[in-house]
Amino acid sequence: MTNDLTKLTIAEARDRLRAGDVTSVELTEACLSAIDAADALNAFVHKTPEIALDRARAADERLQGREEAPAMCGIPIGIKDLFCTEGVPSQAASRILDGFRPEYESTVSRQLKDAGAVMLGKLNMDEFAMGSSNETSVYGDAVNPWRREGDATRLTPGGSSGGSASAVAADLCLGATGTDTGGSIRQPAAFTGITGIKPTYGRCSRWGIVAFASSLDQAGPMTRDVRDAAIMLQAMCGHDMKDSTSADLAVPDFEAALTGDIKGRKIGLPREYRMEGMPAEIEKLWADGAEMLRDAGAEVVDISLPHTKYALPAYYVIAPAEASSNLARYDGVRYGRRAKLAQGDGVVEMYEKTRAEGFGHEVQRRVMVGTYVLSAGFYDAYYNRARKVRTLIKRDFEQVFADGVDAILTPATPSAAFGLGEMSESDPVQMYLNDVFTVTVNLAGLPGISVPAGLDTQGLPLGLQLIGRPWEEAALLNGAYALERAAGFVSKPAKWW
Amino acid sequence: MSIDKAQAAHVAKLARIKVEDDALPALAEEFNTILGFIEQLNEVDIEGVEPMVSVTPMRLKRREDVVTDGQMPDKVLSNAPDAREGFFAVPKVVE
């Protein structure tokens, strides 16, 4: 019985909670035991059972069979470690924030809390959200609940929101928050057979979320299906005075938009996404997805996004540049960890030792690359050039949308989940290629969603991505809903943990 | 453009990250791999293109310039590695 409770979708749990059929305490206890039994996945890195049960009891009070209780009321969820949560460790999976307990709550997690959602704990991730495999975490790797058929190799759940993906796929929580700077919601969602949406830049407040690259970062939900993504996104987004880039726009009813009717909608297939050396399985999945949308009444057209090739290199200038600036605050003075100093060490030694000890290898590398591209003499050649290319990448999308395209269909990732450690010998650029289909969306500030659409020959999930027009998450979610219904993906990982 | 050991040391210094001497050659090599990847941007014709400032065009909101927060030194200092008498404490900065 308890096991079945953790498998409920948010929509099912909401309906049963409102009907008084199940209590939030029952749901929460079921999730807490599932979490305790899943340490092998290393998804939850700070468990908060007491907070969870307190909030579950409060949610049950609030529910009392009330139909008008918020949709997220009583729903047990996980929060990525990147979100500041009041009084609860929030260290962005970094050693440098060891012991940090924020005195405040991020806007997104506060909105979820105010809606009655129950926080079960904090979720593993790549350090400062820099990574595509959850292997840069100070907590160690998060592990994918999926395995290749007949093979016990530990696989990555993707990154950076790897703990969120693993926890939702393994039924440890009903949904989780993620953040996405270059693909960090959509790639792990695809690797674990779940749904993840990055909304339009500005839809969710970034206040209280540890900043990586401020012009690219967006929060979003990671859930079992599209309906749940609509419900949870609804609770997460909206205008916030504390984030000057958050949009003062009305938030539509996302769930109400899920009709599955996409007749006459124009779906673009960008030819530049047909990468050289793309595995045949990915190519087939993509073609199948296009066919499904066509069968559902959409018009599928070939389109061109000519600057696609330059998105990753532009990203690897802009994101490290912003990171080097954002991460300057970790200096061993105001919060987190300070290195042990030698006799006579001054303030500069304190900074240098603290940052050398506190930041992991990938974070150091990106901070230094960012420092370099912003330094005198290189600013124009690298940073300004990348920002101009970014303008062109956004213009590509604007052109296509102006031509009447409603959404764009692409693969979510260039491969299925790979083994932990398998990429450790390659140069950093090989790892960066994971984001090749997702990063354009961040650079253009658009909404994008990853939907599980099939299994590869080794039995691992593969995802498709739909990209929408700015602020049209409702239509995007509906397109994803149509795709989800046509794909009929129901596989779950066989429990081994 | 290629980065040598001395330049790598300079970048580490600017970033305030201590890098041991023997780690510098490998670091320089990593920089070169990444910069080599970034060099592709030189193929793009950017003549007359404005650098992106804001991805979603919007006017920044204004608010009244008044104090809305404060009077919580304990909260501000609660996470400091070293706080004394209501201040952050750091090693000696001036002789």
Side-chain angles (χ1 to χ4, degrees):
Chain A
M1 177 64 195
T2 48
N3 269 341
D4 289 346
L5 286 180
T6 69
K7 290 184 170 64
L8 293 177
T9 62
I10 291 174
E12 289 164 349
R14 170 195 60 188
D15 295 347
R16 289 183 59 178
L17 284 165
R18 284 177 178 172
D21 207 25
V22 68
T23 66
S24 177
V25 168
E26 287 166 343
L27 273 174
T28 301
E29 282 174 344
C31 288
L32 289 171
S33 17
I35 291 167
D36 276 335
D39 286 344
L41 298 174
N42 201 22
F44 276 89
V45 289
H46 295 289
K47 302 175 187 174
T48 56
E50 282 152 33
I51 292 176
L53 287 168
D54 278 349
R55 290 194 195 163
R57 281 187 283 266
D60 283 332
E61 284 282 307
R62 195 168 161 186
L63 279 155
Q64 302 279 1
R66 286 190 190 97
E67 282 296 319
E68 69 281 7
M72 290 300 291
C73 188
I75 305 291
I77 57 169
I79 302 286
K80 187 177 181 179
D81 199 36
L82 202 65
F83 292 77
C84 285
T85 44
E86 192 173 350
V88 174
S90 307
Q91 60 181 100
S94 181
R95 174 165 290 123
I96 210 159
L97 278 171
D98 199 9
F100 177 56
R101 286 170 190 266
E103 295 282 354
Y104 50 86
E105 184 85 21
S106 81
T107 297
V108 163
S109 57
R110 169 161 316 277
Q111 284 182 200
L112 286 165
K113 183 180 166 197
D114 289 348
V118 171
M119 176 175 74
L120 298 162
K122 303 299 285 288
L123 292 161
N124 207 347
M125 54 179 281
D126 279 296
E127 184 180 6
F128 284 108
M130 298 181 194
S132 305
S133 63
N134 211 118
E135 290 172 288
T136 69
S137 167
V138 72
Y139 309 116
D141 307 341
V143 182
N144 196 328
W146 291 82
R147 286 173 162 183
R148 295 176 187 132
E149 249 160 54
D151 179 347
T153 307
R154 290 169 1 125
L155 303 179
T156 176
S160 68
S161 309
S164 305
S166 174
V168 172
D171 298 331
L172 309 184
C173 52
L174 275 58
T177 62
T179 61
D180 190 314
T181 304
S184 282
I185 286 175
R186 292 159 288 155
Q187 183 253 23
F191 276 10
T192 55
I194 65 167
T195 300
I197 180 168
K198 180 201 92 73
T200 313
Y201 182 82
R203 196 50 114 173
C204 285
S205 168
R206 291 180 296 106
W207 194 82
I209 302 174
V210 174
F212 161 13
S214 305
S215 79
L216 301 159
D217 298 343
Q218 262 296 291
M222 300 174 73
T223 55
R224 307 243 168 83
D225 65 17
V226 174
R227 181 173 300 278
D228 284 5
I231 295 169
M232 191 166 165
L233 178 63
Q234 188 88 36
M236 291 169 69
C237 60
H239 179 243
D240 177 16
M241 280 299 283
K242 291 177 184 157
D243 172 4
S244 62
T245 63
S246 106
D248 195 358
L249 290 175
V251 180
D253 184 337
F254 295 132
E255 192 185 4
L258 306 181
T259 60
D261 180 6
I262 56 163
K263 275 191 198 66
R265 304 241 307 149
K266 209 184 218 184
I267 309 290
L269 303 181
R271 69 174 66 100
E272 291 79 8
Y273 282 58
R274 217 167 289 283
M275 300 278 169
E276 221 177 290
M278 184 192 263
E281 290 178 306
I282 303 278
E283 186 127 19
K284 180 170 184 310
L285 180 85
W286 192 13
D288 289 349
E291 198 53 46
M292 290 174 208
L293 293 173
R294 199 177 285 124
D295 287 347
E299 181 193 350
V300 178
V301 294
D302 283 319
I303 58 167
S304 174
L305 299 166
H307 294 90
T308 298
K309 181 185 166 196
Y310 302 105
L312 262 186
Y315 176 84
Y316 276 97
V317 174
I318 293 166
E322 294 186 19
S324 77
S325 169
N326 274 325
L327 271 59
R329 74 191 65 176
Y330 303 105
D331 56 5
V333 176
R334 287 157 294 169
Y335 28 67
R337 191 171 183 278
R338 178 184 293 184
K340 207 171 160 57
L341 301 180
Q343 193 68 35
D345 275 352
V347 76
V348 173
E349 286 83 6
M350 179 192 71
Y351 297 148
E352 291 181 344
K353 287 184 178 177
T354 295
R355 291 161 66 80
E357 280 183 25
F359 291 146
H361 191 66
E362 180 64 25
V363 172
Q364 291 191 22
R365 181 156 59 206
R366 294 203 199 184
V367 165
M368 288 192 274
V369 166
T371 303
Y372 179 76
V373 299
L374 291 176
S375 63
F378 300 105
Y379 188 92
D380 264 324
Y382 289 112
Y383 184 61
N384 264 343
R385 176 170 281 271
R387 290 198 303 148
K388 289 177 184 177
V389 173
R390 187 174 179 189
T391 299
L392 293 171
I393 289 165
K394 181 166 183 242
R395 206 177 277 170
D396 286 353
F397 283 103
E398 284 167 347
Q399 186 60 51
V400 163
F401 291 139
D403 291 344
V405 167
D406 295 296
I408 297 164
L409 180 74
T410 79
T413 57
S415 73
F418 48 90
L420 288 161
E422 267 174 25
M423 301 278 283
S424 59
E425 294 303 310
S426 0
D427 72 58
V429 171
Q430 291 309 309
M431 187 64 100
Y432 299 169
L433 292 175
N434 262 290
D435 292 336
V436 66
F437 299 130
T438 47
V439 75
T440 49
V441 174
N442 300 77
L443 289 168
L446 302 171
I449 185 166
S450 170
V451 179
L455 297 176
D456 75 355
T457 50
Q458 297 179 300
L460 295 179
L462 295 171
L464 285 170
Q465 173 181 234
L466 273 172
I467 303 167
R469 296 164 176 255
W471 313 116
E472 294 189 10
E473 288 88 354
L476 178 67
L477 283 157
N478 186 42
Y481 181 61
L483 186 61
E484 172 184 78
R485 291 211 299 194
F489 183 90
V490 289
S491 307
K492 297 287 280 184
K495 192 170 183 298
W496 54 263
W497 57 92
Chain B
M1 188 66 218
S2 168
I3 291 196
D4 61 20
K5 200 181 134 180
Q7 283 167 308
H10 179 61
V11 173
K13 187 87 199 163
L14 288 175
R16 298 288 185 272
I17 296 175
K18 186 174 171 61
V19 178
E20 300 297 341
D21 257 358
D22 55 4
L24 286 172
L27 183 65
E29 198 181 313
E30 283 177 6
F31 284 164
N32 285 322
T33 306
I34 294 167
L35 293 174
F37 179 63
I38 293 169
E39 296 290 328
Q40 290 178 67
L41 295 177
N42 292 332
E43 299 164 15
V44 187
D45 180 7
I46 51 164
E47 191 60 38
V49 178
E50 286 296 313
M52 185 182 286
V53 178
S54 168
V55 71
T56 43
M58 58 171 86
R59 252 184 82 82
L60 283 184
K61 287 212 168 239
R62 305 283 169 103
R63 60 161 175 80
E64 260 186 89
D65 187 16
V66 290
V67 176
T68 58
D69 209 348
Q71 306 301 322
M72 50 177 104
D74 293 345
K75 282 188 165 195
V76 171
L77 293 170
S78 68
N79 278 291
D82 190 1
R84 296 175 214 169
E85 298 163 40
F87 293 96
F88 293 109
V90 295
K92 198 152 82 172
V93 180
V94 283
E95 290 303 319

